[in-house]
Amino acid sequence: MSTHFLLNMKNISKEYDGNQVLKNVNLQVKPGEIHALIGENGAGKSTLMNILFGMPVIHSTGGFEGTVEINGEQVFIDSPQKAIDYGIGMVHQEFMLIPGFTVTENIKIGREISKPSLLSHLFGKGMETLDFEQMARDARKALSDIGLNIEEYIQVAGLPVGYMQFIEIAREIDKTGIKLLVFDEPTAVLTESEAERLLEIMKVIASKGIAIIFITHRLSEVKNYADSITILRDGEVVTHKDIKDISIIEIAELMIGRKVEKLVDLAEDTRTLSDSDIALSLKNFHVDMPGERVRGVDLDIRKGEIFGIGGLAGQGKLGIPNGIMGLYKAEGTVEIFGKKLDLSKLGSALANGIAFVSEDRRGVGLLLDESIELNIVFSAMQIKDEFLYHLGPVKLLNQKQVRQHALKMIDLLDIRCTGPTQKVGSLSGGNQQKVCLARALTMNPEILIVSEPTRGIDIGAKKLVLEYLAKLNREQGMTIIIVSSELVELRSLCDRIAIVSGGKVSAIVKPDAPDAEIGLAMAAG
Amino acid sequence: MQEYIKKAYDNIGLPRLIIAGFFLLVLLSAVPLGLNIATLLGDTLRRWAMYGILVLAMVPAIQCGIGPNFGISLGIVSGLLGAAISIELEIANPWLAIGVAMLVGTAIAIVLGILYGMLLNNVKGSEMTVSTYVGFSVIAFMNIMWLSLPFTNGDLIWPIGQVGMRNTISLSNTFGGLLNETLSFTIGQEGKGLFVPTGLILFFFLVCVIVWLFMRSKTGIALSAAGSSPAFTRSSGINVNKMRIIGTAFSTALGAIGIITYAQSYGFLQLYNAPLWMGFHCVAAVLIGGATTKKASISNVIIGTFLFQGLLAVALPVINQVLPESNLPDVIRLIISNGIILYALSKTKGDK
């Protein structure tokens, strides 16, 4: 084949607030090929696609470096409309369909075909009547192109999820002059047979000369359906190959990458962990957390252990701590030091000595409008009746005690603030995280669960938070469970790491397990 | 120094500066018109304290997350019912009479408030609309009840026909003016000077302190947290819906105490449609005081009620002087009071 590329993105670099998310990335896609774009969460896939689509988020943050060529011609895409004009389409992961409209209307929305009417002569183009027949014909054609056998006049509401995905695709290929379609994790929400069908349709579309960029986490799909592959890691292209030249294991290995950096210096390990001394035990644990469903997890976490839970986004790793804390509906058995937890009762985990630092810092973790001191003592006050004056049935805030404790915590965790009365909403991410941690520690927990402890905080604060967790574990023997998307931090801290995929634990690995093993466990299911 | 001024300005906020400026302007314009400034200020003081507790009822409601309680009429009718029952019992001691009125009113209000809170838990996101309708509906419902409740005391029912309760019921035989007269004094000449209703003001402050203490109690803090971040509150093992019900019931109970305080100062119980718009006035006052639909404090209540009621108390006599002998003053009164409400509602976001 010649070196004719439909899309050629060259030396793309992008930084957000001094944070380099893409470094000299090249992406070349030939017409009619299915090109897989693979990478961990945060590897830069979304940013690259946002650049391709000229999303406002790119241009409002200073644009990007590098060039984009379409059919060998350099283009400058600064708005999604321009991207559409150049024939680039996107099939979204969440369906952007209007439930009350028919299939035709959804396919044709924004590009309706109209014909003049009496009113339009008087009031202009906005009053033209719609040419439903022509629109229905177009919709019919688009649907049959992708082999979907449904009537174009039925309403979208009530259709199976799989069909909605196909209607999205039909809408994209109905656009005249479509040359490139981006599929962003199209199979994530589909059943197995639906997914297979979708992949077949992708092949059909590709055979018509339309190029496809295929973003997915399922490596078997990549191996079976893609023609070539680009793997991103930490904002850089690690490889670009034809699919026949690479194995699944190689893909997994390259995706994870050997990260040698040591994030924390651990103190000497004097702990003795025993398989019979179990701090937290999960049996057949299910959590109904939207986007992070847990479908039957069995885990035994030993007392005094630092246990990591990793996995890709949307696979259910976040559902585990949220389910234990009772924030989402959970089923199954949770035992804390052999004592069964009443999952239907809110706060029962807290009352039994588990403290939780949420991944959703601003939503769940903090009262942004309140002071640092109130945030720190809130849970202990509510659950354990601390920091209160007890006047018969009346329990009033003991301001003096609160202040003392807050000052101690600010000092201990090095929270940078103007004082204990500063509102947490005005703190930086790292300091907010320290406040969350302080709140959890104020509970004096036996088991501490931290979810995404370093998300959105700078490297210095990251190190401090992780080292403090290690210190708690080594010096106080606290059992710590870390849920994180950052494999490197799990590896540098944990004794064991459970990899969650498809709502189940696909493997429990040692922190020094080979990349391929972890990569495959992540992509399983 | 400049920084200090800027900080003070940020704390007070532009809307309050504008309204306070307008208040002073109207007050000054009363001087050349020959109005008695002392009387005007006395009126301001009285109205401030008599409306204060009703406005205070907004604090637990806003803090617990249901937003400004337009349905405060629910508490108001509970209080009116309590007062009516107290009169029906013909209690001789005015202190006992007002005590019984408040206790009965509060008890009814708490029961209704719990039901109302349960209703509001089912309509999260549109509490303001629903509470407005609850407020209107309960007035309409009570219009029927006032006509048919089996009260027999001659002070309460129409003298002719002996059925149904009067529009306005004089409190002169029971607790009318009780709090106002307690420890009261006049600055300057009797009848012309500045009358200070000490008892009323003290009672208002007492209730303020109680609410302030409540908001600093374990329950009060949990309730405020439930209002500002339900997700956070849940993660600390607190039942958010229960907190919202407590806040709503507390707000309704304050409404009952508030209307009795108001009535004793006014000297009459006003039934039927009289309380229809009171909810709006209370909401307006607290918003002018710097509250938002998500956050309100006691100082918002004290400042807001003073500005809102003060402006009404001063503006009306001034307009009467400027435009005598027409019904324009009444029209302008409506324009001013509703204008303030509109202005206050437009300021629900963006400033504190």
Side-chain angles (χ1 to χ4, degrees):
Chain A
M1 236 182 148
S2 72
T3 49
H4 170 70
F5 293 115
L6 173 71
L7 173 72
N8 191 354
M9 298 176 88
K10 283 196 281 198
N11 298 322
I12 304 287
S13 296
K14 168 73 191 162
E15 56 175 48
Y16 286 119
D17 303 326
N19 192 359
Q20 190 99 26
V21 289
L22 288 177
K23 283 167 239 158
N24 292 323
V25 168
N26 293 302
L27 179 69
Q28 285 139 348
V29 185
K30 292 174 210 145
E33 78 164 349
I34 298 179
H35 189 98
L37 185 61
I38 307 293
E40 271 189 290
N41 307 113
K45 297 177 309 233
S46 319
T47 309
L48 191 61
M49 288 303 108
N50 283 341
I51 288 174
L52 179 59
F53 279 92
M55 294 308 252
V57 59
I58 299 295
H59 295 278
S60 64
T61 53
F64 62 95
E65 286 163 42
T67 54
V68 179
E69 286 176 13
I70 288 177
N71 275 332
E73 202 179 308
Q74 191 172 334
V75 295
F76 182 66
I77 301 171
D78 58 359
S79 73
Q81 188 56 44
K82 260 198 176 161
I84 292 170
D85 293 344
Y86 283 119
I88 305 170
M90 172 103 170
V91 178
H92 298 275
Q93 201 175 357
E94 302 90 27
F95 311 123
M96 306 221 172
L97 297 173
I98 306 171
F101 278 22
T102 65
V103 172
T104 304
E105 284 164 338
N106 267 297
I107 289 177
K108 279 293 186 183
I109 191 155
R111 299 172 294 111
E112 292 88 351
I113 302 164
S114 57
K115 52 189 177 191
S117 71
L118 180 64
L119 283 176
S120 71
H121 288 301
L122 292 171
F123 299 110
K125 209 165 156 39
M127 281 290 142
E128 286 185 352
T129 45
L130 295 180
D131 187 349
F132 276 106
E133 278 171 35
Q134 182 60 39
M135 279 165 46
R137 269 199 299 277
D138 281 5
R140 185 74 259 149
K141 185 175 171 299
L143 290 172
S144 65
D145 275 354
I146 59 170
L148 184 64
N149 214 357
I150 58 169
E151 284 74 28
E152 68 281 2
Y153 50 78
I154 57 171
Q155 276 195 7
V156 166
L159 283 176
V161 175
Y163 279 61
M164 298 203 188
Q165 182 90 63
F166 293 128
I167 294 167
E168 281 256 327
I169 298 170
R171 180 171 70 198
E172 293 308 319
I173 64 168
D174 179 57
K175 290 176 182 167
T176 39
I178 193 89
K179 291 179 209 141
L180 175 70
L181 259 182
V182 179
F183 283 75
D184 186 6
E185 290 193 55
T187 55
V189 291
L190 301 184
T191 63
E192 216 159 291
S193 62
E194 282 173 337
E196 214 164 288
R197 194 110 168 265
L198 180 116
L199 293 164
E200 289 300 332
I201 288 172
M202 275 173 45
K203 283 211 143 165
V204 173
I205 297 170
S207 70
K208 296 182 185 194
I210 297 172
I212 288 175
I213 295 177
F214 179 32
I215 300 173
T216 184
H217 287 311
R218 297 189 184 173
L219 301 188
S220 56
E221 289 172 358
V222 172
K223 185 68 188 161
N224 292 337
Y225 290 92
D227 300 311
S228 57
I229 184 169
T230 297
I231 301 178
L232 286 180
R233 190 207 311 149
D234 295 336
E236 282 176 284
V237 173
V238 286
T239 197
H240 171 78
K241 270 188 179 160
D242 278 349
I243 205 77
K244 57 181 189 297
D245 302 332
I246 194 166
S247 71
I248 289 192
I249 295 187
E250 276 177 280
I251 296 174
E253 218 165 46
L254 287 167
M255 184 171 96
I256 304 294
R258 166 83 40 202
K259 290 165 185 167
V260 283
E261 59 177 309
K262 190 83 176 158
L263 275 179
V264 288
D265 309 314
L266 295 178
E268 201 185 336
D269 194 354
T270 54
R271 302 167 304 164
T272 41
L273 301 173
S274 150
D275 280 342
S276 59
D277 200 359
I278 300 299
L280 177 73
S281 156
L282 303 177
K283 283 193 190 72
N284 196 23
F285 188 56
H286 287 76
V287 183
D288 191 15
M289 177 178 178
E292 289 279 348
R293 280 208 168 69
V294 180
R295 301 179 171 93
V297 162
D298 298 281
L299 275 180
D300 281 320
I301 294 160
R302 296 169 292 182
K303 185 171 187 299
E305 183 173 31
I306 301 186
F307 190 85
I309 300 179
L312 296 166
Q315 299 296 324
K317 69 174 182 302
L318 295 179
I320 296 176
N322 281 292
I324 294 174
M325 299 313 290
L327 299 178
Y328 290 91
K329 204 168 163 296
E331 278 167 38
T333 323
V334 180
E335 281 178 11
I336 297 163
F337 297 110
K339 196 175 157 216
K340 208 168 160 235
L341 211 61
D342 180 4
L343 288 172
S344 64
K345 202 168 146 247
L346 194 62
S348 109
L350 283 169
N352 281 295
I354 304 186
F356 176 47
V357 176
S358 170
E359 68 284 347
D360 182 4
R361 201 154 51 219
R362 300 181 70 85
V364 177
L366 294 168
L367 280 173
L368 295 174
D369 281 344
E370 299 293 347
S371 62
I372 294 173
E373 55 186 11
L374 186 73
N375 270 281
I376 290 179
V377 301
F378 187 85
S379 298
M381 181 198 347
Q382 295 295 336
I383 298 285
K384 305 178 95 175
D385 274 351
E386 288 171 7
F387 306 105
L388 293 169
Y389 292 115
H390 295 262
L391 311 164
V394 184
K395 292 170 186 157
L396 288 179
L397 189 68
N398 185 339
Q399 185 64 53
K400 207 174 131 199
Q401 217 181 334
V402 170
R403 179 65 49 87
Q404 271 174 1
H405 179 76
L407 287 171
K408 200 179 94 195
M409 277 298 178
I410 287 171
D411 188 46
L412 197 64
L413 289 173
D414 188 24
I415 301 170
R416 305 283 163 82
C417 58
T418 57
T421 54
Q422 192 184 353
K423 294 207 162 49
V424 289
S426 61
L427 292 174
S428 72
N431 286 310
Q432 286 183 345
Q433 184 68 314
K434 290 178 198 166
V435 174
C436 292
L437 201 57
R439 183 161 66 90
L441 295 177
T442 305
M443 293 286 293
N444 277 326
E446 287 175 88
I447 303 172
L448 176 66
I449 309 181
V450 253
S451 191
E452 302 287 5
T454 60
R455 180 186 281 177
I457 69 180
D458 63 84
I459 186 83
K462 204 180 229 178
K463 191 162 186 289
L464 195 141
V465 167
L466 293 176
E467 271 177 354
Y468 194 74
L469 289 176
K471 197 173 135 203
L472 282 172
N473 174 264
R474 299 292 191 267
E475 289 175 9
Q476 301 181 20
M478 197 183 284
T479 310
I480 296 179
I481 302 170
I482 302 175
V483 182
S484 176
S485 320
E486 304 235 1
L487 206 51
V488 51
E489 77 189 27
L490 292 180
R491 280 181 150 182
S492 57
L493 216 57
C494 298
D495 299 304
R496 291 186 298 160
I497 304 167
I499 303 293
V500 178
S501 177
K504 294 194 167 109
V505 173
S506 58
I508 295 182
V509 298
K510 291 262 163 222
D512 51 3
D515 294 334
E517 191 184 337
I518 295 181
L520 284 177
M522 279 185 170
Chain B
M1 185 65 195
Q2 204 169 4
E3 214 163 89
Y4 180 78
I5 293 173
K6 192 180 173 310
K7 208 174 163 199
Y9 171 81
D10 283 345
N11 276 336
I12 298 167
L14 187 62
R16 273 156 299 294
L17 284 179
I18 292 175
I19 292 174
F22 189 55
F23 175 70
L24 286 176
L25 189 77
V26 177
L27 195 64
L28 288 177
S29 68
V31 179
L33 290 168
L35 289 165
N36 184 342
I37 298 288
T39 321
L40 289 180
L41 284 178
D43 265 359
T44 303
L45 220 50
R46 184 175 52 78
R47 293 181 68 123
W48 174 50
M50 79 190 245
Y51 274 98
I53 298 173
L54 282 171
V55 180
L56 198 57
M58 296 299 144
V59 173
I62 290 175
Q63 288 293 94
C64 81
I66 68 162
N69 188 2
F70 287 95
I72 193 65
S73 330
L74 207 61
I76 292 177
V77 297
S78 308
L80 292 175
L81 209 55
I85 289 170
S86 159
I87 296 169
E88 175 79 13
L89 294 173
E90 293 188 14
I91 300 163
N93 184 328
W95 288 103
L96 194 59
I98 199 169
V100 168
M102 282 182 178
L103 275 180
V104 175
T106 307
I108 300 171
I110 287 175
V111 173
L112 291 179
I114 289 171
L115 295 172
Y116 174 41
M118 286 157 80
L119 169 73
L120 289 179
N121 279 342
N122 285 313
V123 295
K124 281 186 188 155
S126 32
E127 288 97 339
M128 279 217 254
T129 320
V130 173
S131 65
T132 307
Y133 279 93
V134 167
F136 286 159
S137 317
V138 72
I139 297 285
F141 175 73
M142 286 312 286
N143 278 349
I144 305 172
M145 298 312 287
W146 297 132
L147 282 172
S148 45
L149 285 171
F151 283 103
T152 53
N153 190 306
D155 283 343
L156 296 173
I157 54 174
W158 291 110
I160 304 166
Q162 303 290 316
V163 174
M165 294 170 82
R166 304 178 189 215
N167 261 325
T168 46
I169 295 160
S170 168
L171 295 175
S172 52
N173 291 336
T174 55
F175 52 79
L178 180 67
L179 293 172
N180 290 38
E181 303 299 335
T182 307
L183 302 174
S184 68
F185 57 91
T186 309
I187 302 171
Q189 209 182 339
E190 193 74 33
K192 271 189 181 170
L194 175 60
F195 179 78
V196 181
T198 317
L200 178 65
I201 294 175
L202 284 180
F203 184 67
F204 171 42
F205 284 171
L206 173 72
V207 181
C208 282
V209 169
I210 291 172
V211 174
W212 183 78
L213 283 176
F214 173 77
M215 297 318 286
R216 284 175 68 83
S217 71
K218 182 185 169 189
T219 313
I221 291 167
L223 179 146
S224 297
S228 69
S229 173
F232 173 88
T233 315
R234 268 171 56 78
S235 79
S236 288
I238 295 163
N239 184 335
V240 173
N241 281 352
K242 190 175 141 201
M243 287 301 143
R244 284 164 56 103
I245 290 174
I246 291 175
T248 313
F250 189 36
S251 168
T252 311
L254 282 173
I257 292 172
I259 194 66
I260 294 169
T261 313
Y262 170 91
Q264 70 77 29
S265 173
Y266 188 61
F268 298 94
L269 281 187
Q270 297 170 290
L271 307 185
Y272 300 97
N273 278 341
L276 192 59
W277 298 102
M278 269 183 180
F280 283 79
H281 289 220
C282 299
V283 173
V286 77
L287 293 178
I288 284 177
T292 65
T293 49
K294 296 217 150 59
K295 225 168 164 43
S297 67
I298 311 286
S299 61
N300 296 148
V301 171
I302 294 174
I303 297 170
T305 317
F306 187 84
L307 290 176
F308 184 76
Q309 293 300 336
L311 200 52
L312 285 183
V314 175
L316 296 183
V318 170
I319 294 160
N320 268 324
Q321 284 291 315
V322 178
L323 303 161
E325 293 176 46
S326 70
N327 65 350
L328 265 182
D330 200 46
V331 173
I332 289 180
R333 183 184 70 84
L334 283 174
I335 293 176
I336 290 183
S337 63
N338 287 310
I340 294 178
I341 295 174
L342 185 61
Y343 180 73
L345 281 174
S346 73
K347 292 283 163 212
T348 50
K349 290 201 185 89
D351 76 84
K352 317 185 198 178

